[in-house]
Amino acid sequence: MVGYLISLGIFTATFALFSLGLNLHWGYTGLINFGHVGFLAIGSYTTILLGIAGVPMFFAVLAGVVLAMGLGFLMGIATLRLREDYLAIVTIGMAEIVRLIALNEDWLTRGGRGVYGFPLPLAQFNPNMPTKLGMIALFWAVVGAAAWQWWQWLERQYGGSHPRWLLPSYAALLIAGTLSLWATLLPLSLGRGIAIFPLGLTLVTLGGAIALVSYYCRSEKPAVVPIALNTLAAALVGLVVKALTLGLWDFSYRAGLLWLLVLVLALVVWQLERWIHSPWGRVLKAIREDEEVAKALGKNVFAYKMQSLLLGGAIAAVAGSFYAWQLTFINPDGFVSLITFQAWTIVVLGGAGNNMGTLLGAALFWAYTALTRFIPLDGGRLEALRMMLIGLVLIILMMWRPQGILGKKEELSLGR
């Protein structure tokens, strides 16, 4: 179960990183990008091909970022002065061109046979005990900082005054719920069926946590469902946190990869939050709402859109490196348009124009993917059922909360 949760955590964090780039494009700037997977493909192929050639991984990733920004520059030059729908069409075409080049340039990418056997980060790393403890301590420092920021954000969104004991009580219930959920899933993963007592304890503790916060964080808008989804996502993240802690103690390659990915993801989110709350970020939001107003205020709209396109593409390229390292094999079939639309699902689900919403959307999307794998259908029918269900969820979400779970309706001008 530890290995499975670590792999699930890597996919969740990789797609969260990938979707953050799309959120910068569409959520904050209003750029409709249906070819985001093109940046992911360039980041993946550049990193592994340069890695095979002996280039140090840091510089290989950096080269992927530069090439992805180059693709974004070409895309922007051709379309950013045109209407939004032209950008959407061109981005699809550019992503398909990248995929077809990877498929047909056999001398460079090995075509449909794919690339494997490339160097992996931390694969030869064998940490001693102090190093392991240091890695675990750094990881928990990031988890603690993220949890505090998450609580502060939750309080700002649904807060108001509440007693001092609320946070410790909620944290205690959440930790108890996560541990009992672990005890529920462990026998299930070993084929021993569901443990009834831990399952009941999970329902009681997580239900109690949701009820407690919903009662004291009342505001004019309904908050029970978003708080419930946040609590569920936090419990799932808690499972991955425990799995990664155990994985770092008995060090494995994938545990090291997830540790590295968590640090990169935390750094990207921190920097994006700084940018978005700066004057630069406010101009992006103004362009998203009405670029004519931004022009009237003397802002160079084209330059701001280009910067957003390049930065979002660079973030996607970094995600591409981790995508390749996790799969340890890539071919052009791994970069089809479906990957882009999975990122769109994550952004729409969590809430456009909200980095925390993107993280929440990634956690819920991969929880949904993990849970539906237990449906007793063969591969093709299961995939079709998954698509139908996620489509149904999105339709209901658009009717109930068109701004997404954590998005702000008043900020996105929806319904006006």
Side-chain angles (χ1 to χ4, degrees), residues 208-282:
I210 294 167
L212 191 66
V213 176
S214 300
Y215 180 78
Y216 282 100
C217 291
R218 288 176 293 182
S219 60
E220 294 179 358
K221 51 190 175 184
V224 176
V225 174
I227 288 174
L229 291 173
N230 268 279
T231 304
L232 176 62
L236 296 174
V237 170
L239 291 180
V240 176
V241 168
K242 181 174 179 180
L244 181 55
T245 305
L246 296 174
L248 288 174
W249 187 254
D250 298 321
F251 190 80
S252 64
Y253 160 66
R254 294 197 189 284
L257 184 64
L258 180 55
W259 177 81
L260 187 61
L261 181 52
V262 167
L263 297 185
V264 171
L265 182 62
L267 183 64
V268 169
V269 171
W270 173 73
Q271 187 60 49
L272 278 176
E273 285 293 302
R274 288 189 62 205
W275 282 338
I276 291 307
H277 291 95
S278 70
W280 181 82
R282 288 191 282 276

